[in-house]
Structures are given as C-alpha cells and as structure tokens.
Amino acid sequence: MAGSALVVGASGIVGSATAALLDAQGWTVHGLARRPLQQARVTPVAADLQDAQATASAIAGLSIDAVFITTWLRQDSEAENIRVNSAMVRNLLDGLRAANAGARHVALVTGLKHYLGPFESYGKGTLPQTPFREEQGRLDVENFYYAQEDELFAAAARDGFTWSVHRPHTVIGKAVGNAMNMGTTLAVYATLCREIGRPFRFPGSPAQWHGLTDMTDAKLLAHHLLWATETPAAANEAFNVVNGDVFRWSWMWERIAAWFGLEPAPFDGEILPLETQMADDAAVWRRIAEREGLAEPDLARLASPWHTDADLGRPVEVVTDMSKSRRLGFTGYQPTDDAFTDLFEQLRAERLIP
C-alpha cells in the first residue's frame, strides 16, 4: 500500500531505519525532526513538536497516508516526561488534523517500560509475570508511555484514523546523538577498554548476567511498523516486538568481546555502572577519534551509559511474548548476535569506531 509517510524522529535509531525501509518499499517519505539530517530520498520537515503552532505550520500542505512516531524527549522527572511527551504527540496529531493531511494510520513506538515502569521506578514494585504479554495492561503508576497512548487514542476516535502501538525491548541500531543507544555504547566501551587496558567486564546485575533476555533490531522494528500499517487485522492494536530469539548476557558478552579482539573479564556479581566507568573518558575518546580520523569525537553524542546501565542493571529477568503478532502473520526474525555484529560493522564502515 505504498503512499506518503511522515516519520517523526527520522534522524533517530528507529526513525532512520523506518525511513530507509519505507523508501525501499516505494513510499514517499517526509522526515520530521527538530534539526533534520540529510537522508537520501527523505524530504526534511523541520519542527519542534513542543511548539504547536510551528508544528502545524511545518505540516501544512503535506498529504500523508501513514505517520510513524518514533521520538521522545527525556526530562528530569516522570511528571515532566508526561507533560512534554504527551504534548508532543498531541501537537503533532492536532497539526495533522488542522492541515487536513488525510492520515489513515498512525503508529506509535513506545517500549517495555509499559510493563517495567518509568525510569523513576524502573523494574521495581509489583511487575507482571514474564514473558510480557500485551493483555497484561498498565501498571498502577504514572508513565509517559500511557499518556502518549491516550493522546493517540483520543485523536483516532476524533479523526477516524487507525492506530498501532509498538513496544520494542532495547533497540539495536545506529544513530548519533540518540538518548537510548546500547549497541553503540557497548561498541565505544569496548574500544575504550582496548585503548587503555580497562577490563571488558559486564557492568550490570547478576539477574541480567544469568537470566534470559531479548532485544529488538531497529530494522526488524521498521518492518513491524510497516506490517501493522498495511495489515487490516493489526489495526487498533498494541504489539510487543522483539527479534524472536532469547539469550543470556553471560553468552553474548563473550561474542561482543571477541568481535573487538578482547578477552571478557570475569563477572563477580558486583554492579559497576558504565556511567561511573566512562565518566572521565571524553578526552580519551577525543584522542582516539583524532588519531583514527573518526567522524564523531564527542563521546556524549555516541554513548548513553545511563540508559545502558538501566537495562543491564535490572533486578528482574525480562523476556517478551510475540504470539499476538505471530498469530496475525508477522514472521520477522533477527538473531541478536548478528544484529550486534551488523551494527558494529556499520559503525566501523562509517568511521564512528576504529
């Protein structure tokens, strides 16, 4: 059903993968961001979603069949996350209505914090049993994902478009300046360990080291977004979306180490956060970047240790059920170790790591 698409957050991990897939499938792609990057065959749309009038003006004149919302802004508290991120969704959907853009479907990307809780209470309290399933519903706690969903549901009821909500686990993909980027963070950490002789040691919790987990490749998530947009039976549904395999970090850590030519350090059960380990590494990274001719010398634009620490430090096992999508015909699958190595090869090819 190729048509015209608006990818919101087109420069991010999920947005860039989605824009590339849509283009490959014959869609006309508009990429909305505060500061759009130059992306092949993507028409840039510059807008700050916090500004309702500017958003409406940026959208005016566009004819859009499908919208993919793949962005959010991190705030200092969950109350602020709710206020800012719900307003961004509301301003976007109000702008589409005012522009009479004609959107038939809107897809919203959230994540497993739907089940695990917001950052302020992440993985704490009474959580649903794993594997997480869509029918488990919302926790009894404020969460900006819920606020975003409510804006989507209200606008869909008002304006008559169909919707889908997509809940990936930690996303593996390439983007510079992204707030949640485990794959690139681990690549940078491994490079720093090799450079200064720091042990390449798993920084997280025993629960994550020994337990089962899963992840989501950005390209697979893009296929899931397009599948839901083009599949009538998937309309007005929320879906988990993960790669389809499960693994233990005790297994994966060795493979990541091997790719970088490192010996993994033994894990003794103590949590050693990356945010602490990498706190003083900016100058070292800049030295590596200058010596190797890398494209990004600013460590803060590549690595997000705080978010990687949140995922790897969880005290609970996290696995995700994909049965709902499978029953409706989505068959996408991506081995997670291949997703990591594909990303590392891309980062090296684009001179983001040596």
Side-chain angles (χ1 to χ4, degrees):
M1 130 185 182
S4 179
L6 179 66
V7 179
V8 183
S11 59
I13 292 177
V14 177
S16 59
T18 302
L21 174 64
L22 290 167
D23 172 66
Q25 295 292 322
W27 288 68
T28 300
V29 183
H30 304 272
L32 188 150
R34 282 177 294 170
R35 293 178 293 275
L37 301 177
Q38 291 299 317
Q39 295 169 273
R41 294 179 296 279
V42 175
T43 301
V45 179
D48 182 350
L49 294 180
Q50 296 181 82
D51 186 328
Q53 184 174 354
T55 299
S57 296
I59 294 171
L62 296 182
S63 178
I64 299 296
D65 297 300
V67 180
F68 303 88
I69 305 174
T70 70
T71 190
W72 72 290
L73 282 178
R74 184 190 181 196
Q75 305 299 311
D76 291 335
S77 68
E78 192 59 21
E80 279 299 290
N81 276 331
I82 291 168
R83 184 185 68 81
V84 170
N85 289 284
S86 63
M88 288 167 59
V89 173
R90 182 169 62 253
N91 292 341
L92 171 70
L93 297 178
D94 285 351
L96 288 167
R97 184 183 194 222
N100 195 27
R104 300 198 299 269
H105 186 84
V106 178
L108 170 67
V109 178
T110 61
L112 293 196
K113 287 190 292 296
H114 184 94
Y115 309 105
L116 287 162
F119 289 119
E120 291 178 2
S121 57
Y122 190 56
K124 301 175 183 176
T126 302
L127 302 176
Q129 288 185 330
T130 58
F132 293 140
R133 303 177 306 280
E134 293 90 346
E135 65 267 22
Q136 288 170 317
R138 296 179 174 184
L139 302 176
D140 186 19
V141 61
E142 295 297 314
N143 188 322
F144 82 87
Y145 284 168
Y146 306 161
Q148 288 181 311
E149 286 184 345
D150 288 343
E151 295 291 347
L152 175 67
F153 301 157
R158 177 191 70 194
D159 298 334
F161 58 77
T162 59
W163 55 265
S164 56
V165 173
H166 304 256
R167 299 171 185 158
H169 199 169
T170 306
V171 177
I172 302 172
K174 176 247 172 182
V176 176
N178 191 275
M180 300 192 297
N181 194 337
M182 180 189 285
T184 304
T185 298
L186 293 180
V188 168
Y189 176 59
T191 302
L192 287 163
C193 289
R194 188 175 59 198
E195 174 77 11
I196 63 179
R198 176 186 292 155
F200 185 66
R201 182 192 177 284
F202 181 72
S205 69
Q208 293 305 302
W209 179 253
H210 296 294
L212 290 171
T213 193
D214 48 29
M215 293 184 74
T216 307
D217 183 85
K219 296 185 290 295
L220 181 132
L221 176 52
H223 279 281
H224 195 264
L225 288 162
L226 181 55
W227 165 79
T229 299
E230 296 182 332
T231 302
N236 304 329
E237 297 286 349
F239 297 101
N240 298 330
V241 49
V242 287
N243 287 337
D245 64 346
V246 293
F247 65 92
R248 303 182 198 276
W249 279 108
S250 58
W251 178 87
M252 187 68 74
W253 201 251
E254 294 181 358
R255 282 152 179 78
I256 294 175
W259 197 91
F260 288 93
L262 295 168
E263 285 291 328
F267 178 65
D268 61 7
E270 181 183 358
I271 297 176
L272 294 176
L274 292 180
E275 193 164 27
T276 301
Q277 291 192 55
M278 300 172 68
D280 299 320
D281 285 345
V284 179
W285 183 260
R286 188 169 294 276
R287 183 177 74 231
I288 296 171
E290 291 173 354
R291 186 186 70 219
E292 303 291 339
L294 301 184
E296 181 52 71
D298 185 351
L299 178 63
R301 285 182 50 75
L302 288 175
S304 53
W306 68 273
H307 183 262
T308 300
D309 286 337
D311 277 358
L312 298 184
R314 289 181 303 221
V316 294
E317 179 179 272
V318 177
V319 287
T320 314
D321 187 84
M322 278 282 287
S323 297
K324 185 175 182 179
S325 293
R326 302 296 187 220
R327 289 188 179 105
L328 293 177
F330 182 76
T331 59
Y333 172 77
Q334 171 63 59
T336 301
D337 50 342
D338 289 352
F340 272 121
T341 56
D342 288 350
L343 171 64
F344 299 154
E345 289 166 1
Q346 181 183 8
L347 295 175
R348 182 168 285 172
E350 298 185 20
R351 304 302 302 159
L352 289 168
I353 61 172

Short mmCIF file of all heavy atoms in Angstrom, two decimals, residues 215-242:
data_model
loop_
_atom_site.label_atom_id
_atom_site.label_comp_id
_atom_site.label_asym_id
_atom_site.label_seq_id
_atom_site.Cartn_x
_atom_site.Cartn_y
_atom_site.Cartn_z
N MET A 215 16.07 -8.64 22.72
CA MET A 215 16.27 -7.27 22.24
C MET A 215 15.54 -7.10 20.92
O MET A 215 14.94 -8.05 20.40
CB MET A 215 17.76 -6.95 22.10
CG MET A 215 18.52 -6.90 23.41
SD MET A 215 20.26 -6.43 23.27
CE MET A 215 20.09 -4.67 22.94
N THR A 216 15.59 -5.88 20.36
CA THR A 216 14.89 -5.56 19.12
C THR A 216 15.83 -4.86 18.17
O THR A 216 16.36 -3.79 18.49
CB THR A 216 13.67 -4.66 19.40
OG1 THR A 216 12.86 -5.24 20.41
CG2 THR A 216 12.85 -4.45 18.14
N ASP A 217 16.03 -5.43 17.00
CA ASP A 217 16.81 -4.77 15.96
C ASP A 217 15.97 -3.68 15.30
O ASP A 217 14.79 -3.89 15.01
CB ASP A 217 17.26 -5.79 14.92
CG ASP A 217 18.14 -5.17 13.86
OD1 ASP A 217 19.36 -5.07 14.09
OD2 ASP A 217 17.61 -4.78 12.81
N ALA A 218 16.57 -2.51 15.06
CA ALA A 218 15.82 -1.39 14.50
C ALA A 218 15.22 -1.72 13.14
O ALA A 218 14.11 -1.28 12.81
CB ALA A 218 16.73 -0.16 14.39
N LYS A 219 15.94 -2.50 12.34
CA LYS A 219 15.41 -2.85 11.01
C LYS A 219 14.20 -3.77 11.14
O LYS A 219 13.23 -3.64 10.38
CB LYS A 219 16.52 -3.48 10.17
CG LYS A 219 17.68 -2.55 9.87
CD LYS A 219 18.70 -3.17 8.94
CE LYS A 219 19.47 -4.30 9.61
NZ LYS A 219 20.31 -3.83 10.73
N LEU A 220 14.24 -4.70 12.08
CA LEU A 220 13.09 -5.57 12.29
C LEU A 220 11.90 -4.75 12.80
O LEU A 220 10.76 -4.96 12.37
CB LEU A 220 13.42 -6.69 13.27
CG LEU A 220 12.27 -7.66 13.53
CD1 LEU A 220 12.74 -9.11 13.42
CD2 LEU A 220 11.65 -7.43 14.91
N LEU A 221 12.15 -3.81 13.70
CA LEU A 221 11.08 -2.94 14.19
C LEU A 221 10.46 -2.14 13.05
O LEU A 221 9.24 -1.97 12.99
CB LEU A 221 11.63 -2.01 15.28
CG LEU A 221 10.67 -0.97 15.86
CD1 LEU A 221 9.37 -1.57 16.33
CD2 LEU A 221 11.37 -0.22 17.01
N ALA A 222 11.29 -1.66 12.13
CA ALA A 222 10.76 -0.93 10.98
C ALA A 222 9.82 -1.82 10.16
O ALA A 222 8.75 -1.38 9.72
CB ALA A 222 11.92 -0.42 10.12
N HIS A 223 10.21 -3.07 9.94
CA HIS A 223 9.34 -3.99 9.22
C HIS A 223 8.03 -4.22 9.98
O HIS A 223 6.96 -4.33 9.37
CB HIS A 223 10.06 -5.33 8.99
CG HIS A 223 11.00 -5.33 7.84
ND1 HIS A 223 10.59 -5.46 6.53
CD2 HIS A 223 12.36 -5.19 7.80
CE1 HIS A 223 11.63 -5.42 5.72
NE2 HIS A 223 12.72 -5.26 6.46
N HIS A 224 8.11 -4.27 11.30
CA HIS A 224 6.90 -4.46 12.11
C HIS A 224 5.97 -3.25 11.99
O HIS A 224 4.74 -3.41 11.88
CB HIS A 224 7.31 -4.70 13.56
CG HIS A 224 6.22 -5.25 14.43
ND1 HIS A 224 5.42 -4.45 15.22
CD2 HIS A 224 5.79 -6.53 14.64
CE1 HIS A 224 4.55 -5.21 15.88
NE2 HIS A 224 4.76 -6.47 15.54
N LEU A 225 6.53 -2.07 12.01
CA LEU A 225 5.73 -0.85 11.84
C LEU A 225 5.01 -0.85 10.50
O LEU A 225 3.82 -0.53 10.41
CB LEU A 225 6.63 0.38 11.96
CG LEU A 225 7.16 0.71 13.35
CD1 LEU A 225 8.35 1.65 13.25
CD2 LEU A 225 6.06 1.35 14.19
N LEU A 226 5.74 -1.21 9.44
CA LEU A 226 5.13 -1.22 8.12
C LEU A 226 4.09 -2.32 8.01
O LEU A 226 3.01 -2.12 7.43
CB LEU A 226 6.22 -1.40 7.06
CG LEU A 226 5.75 -1.40 5.60
CD1 LEU A 226 4.97 -0.15 5.26
CD2 LEU A 226 6.95 -1.57 4.66
N TRP A 227 4.40 -3.48 8.59
CA TRP A 227 3.44 -4.59 8.58
C TRP A 227 2.11 -4.18 9.24
O TRP A 227 1.02 -4.43 8.69
CB TRP A 227 4.03 -5.79 9.31
CG TRP A 227 3.03 -6.85 9.68
CD1 TRP A 227 2.50 -7.80 8.86
CD2 TRP A 227 2.41 -7.03 10.96
NE1 TRP A 227 1.59 -8.58 9.56
CE2 TRP A 227 1.53 -8.12 10.85
CE3 TRP A 227 2.53 -6.38 12.19
CZ2 TRP A 227 0.75 -8.56 11.92
CZ3 TRP A 227 1.78 -6.83 13.26
CH2 TRP A 227 0.90 -7.91 13.12
N ALA A 228 2.18 -3.55 10.39
CA ALA A 228 0.95 -3.15 11.09
C ALA A 228 0.18 -2.11 10.30
O ALA A 228 -1.06 -2.10 10.30
CB ALA A 228 1.29 -2.62 12.48
N THR A 229 0.90 -1.23 9.59
CA THR A 229 0.26 -0.20 8.79
C THR A 229 -0.50 -0.81 7.61
O THR A 229 -1.57 -0.33 7.22
CB THR A 229 1.32 0.79 8.27
OG1 THR A 229 1.95 1.42 9.40
CG2 THR A 229 0.72 1.85 7.38
N GLU A 230 0.02 -1.90 7.06
CA GLU A 230 -0.54 -2.48 5.84
C GLU A 230 -1.43 -3.69 6.11
O GLU A 230 -1.98 -4.25 5.15
CB GLU A 230 0.59 -2.89 4.90
CG GLU A 230 1.43 -1.71 4.42
CD GLU A 230 2.53 -2.10 3.45
OE1 GLU A 230 3.01 -3.25 3.54
OE2 GLU A 230 2.88 -1.27 2.59
N THR A 231 -1.59 -4.10 7.36
CA THR A 231 -2.36 -5.30 7.69
C THR A 231 -3.66 -4.90 8.39
O THR A 231 -3.63 -4.46 9.54
CB THR A 231 -1.54 -6.23 8.61
OG1 THR A 231 -0.32 -6.57 7.94
CG2 THR A 231 -2.31 -7.49 8.95
N PRO A 232 -4.80 -5.04 7.75
CA PRO A 232 -6.05 -4.60 8.37
C PRO A 232 -6.30 -5.23 9.74
O PRO A 232 -6.82 -4.56 10.64
CB PRO A 232 -7.11 -5.03 7.34
CG PRO A 232 -6.39 -5.01 6.03
CD PRO A 232 -5.00 -5.47 6.35
N ALA A 233 -5.94 -6.50 9.91
CA ALA A 233 -6.20 -7.16 11.19
C ALA A 233 -5.36 -6.60 12.32
O ALA A 233 -5.67 -6.83 13.50
CB ALA A 233 -5.93 -8.67 11.05
N ALA A 234 -4.31 -5.85 12.00
CA ALA A 234 -3.44 -5.27 13.03
C ALA A 234 -3.88 -3.88 13.45
O ALA A 234 -3.28 -3.28 14.34
CB ALA A 234 -2.00 -5.22 12.52
N ALA A 235 -4.96 -3.37 12.83
CA ALA A 235 -5.42 -2.01 13.15
C ALA A 235 -5.94 -1.94 14.57
O ALA A 235 -6.60 -2.86 15.06
CB ALA A 235 -6.51 -1.59 12.17
N ASN A 236 -5.61 -0.83 15.24
CA ASN A 236 -6.11 -0.53 16.59
C ASN A 236 -5.69 -1.58 17.60
O ASN A 236 -6.49 -2.01 18.44
CB ASN A 236 -7.63 -0.35 16.57
CG ASN A 236 -8.07 0.72 15.59
OD1 ASN A 236 -7.35 1.68 15.34
ND2 ASN A 236 -9.24 0.54 15.00
N GLU A 237 -4.42 -1.98 17.52
CA GLU A 237 -3.87 -2.98 18.43
C GLU A 237 -2.50 -2.53 18.92
O GLU A 237 -1.78 -1.80 18.23
CB GLU A 237 -3.72 -4.34 17.73
CG GLU A 237 -5.02 -4.97 17.28
CD GLU A 237 -5.85 -5.53 18.42
OE1 GLU A 237 -5.33 -5.63 19.55
OE2 GLU A 237 -7.02 -5.88 18.17
N ALA A 238 -2.14 -3.00 20.11
CA ALA A 238 -0.79 -2.79 20.65
C ALA A 238 -0.02 -4.10 20.53
O ALA A 238 -0.57 -5.19 20.75
CB ALA A 238 -0.86 -2.34 22.10
N PHE A 239 1.28 -3.99 20.19
CA PHE A 239 2.10 -5.18 19.95
C PHE A 239 3.45 -5.07 20.63
O PHE A 239 4.11 -4.03 20.58
CB PHE A 239 2.36 -5.35 18.44
CG PHE A 239 1.14 -5.56 17.61
CD1 PHE A 239 0.57 -4.53 16.89
CD2 PHE A 239 0.56 -6.83 17.53
CE1 PHE A 239 -0.55 -4.73 16.10
CE2 PHE A 239 -0.57 -7.04 16.74
CZ PHE A 239 -1.13 -5.99 16.03
N ASN A 240 3.87 -6.17 21.24
CA ASN A 240 5.28 -6.33 21.56
C ASN A 240 6.03 -6.62 20.27
O ASN A 240 5.49 -7.22 19.34
CB ASN A 240 5.49 -7.50 22.52
CG ASN A 240 4.79 -7.30 23.85
OD1 ASN A 240 4.63 -6.16 24.31
ND2 ASN A 240 4.38 -8.39 24.49
N VAL A 241 7.31 -6.23 20.22
CA VAL A 241 8.11 -6.56 19.04
C VAL A 241 9.57 -6.73 19.46
O VAL A 241 10.21 -5.79 19.91
CB VAL A 241 7.95 -5.51 17.91
CG1 VAL A 241 8.13 -4.08 18.43
CG2 VAL A 241 8.91 -5.79 16.77
N VAL A 242 10.05 -7.97 19.34
CA VAL A 242 11.44 -8.33 19.64
C VAL A 242 11.97 -9.22 18.52
O VAL A 242 11.22 -9.63 17.63
CB VAL A 242 11.56 -9.04 21.01
CG1 VAL A 242 11.36 -8.05 22.15
CG2 VAL A 242 10.58 -10.20 21.14
#
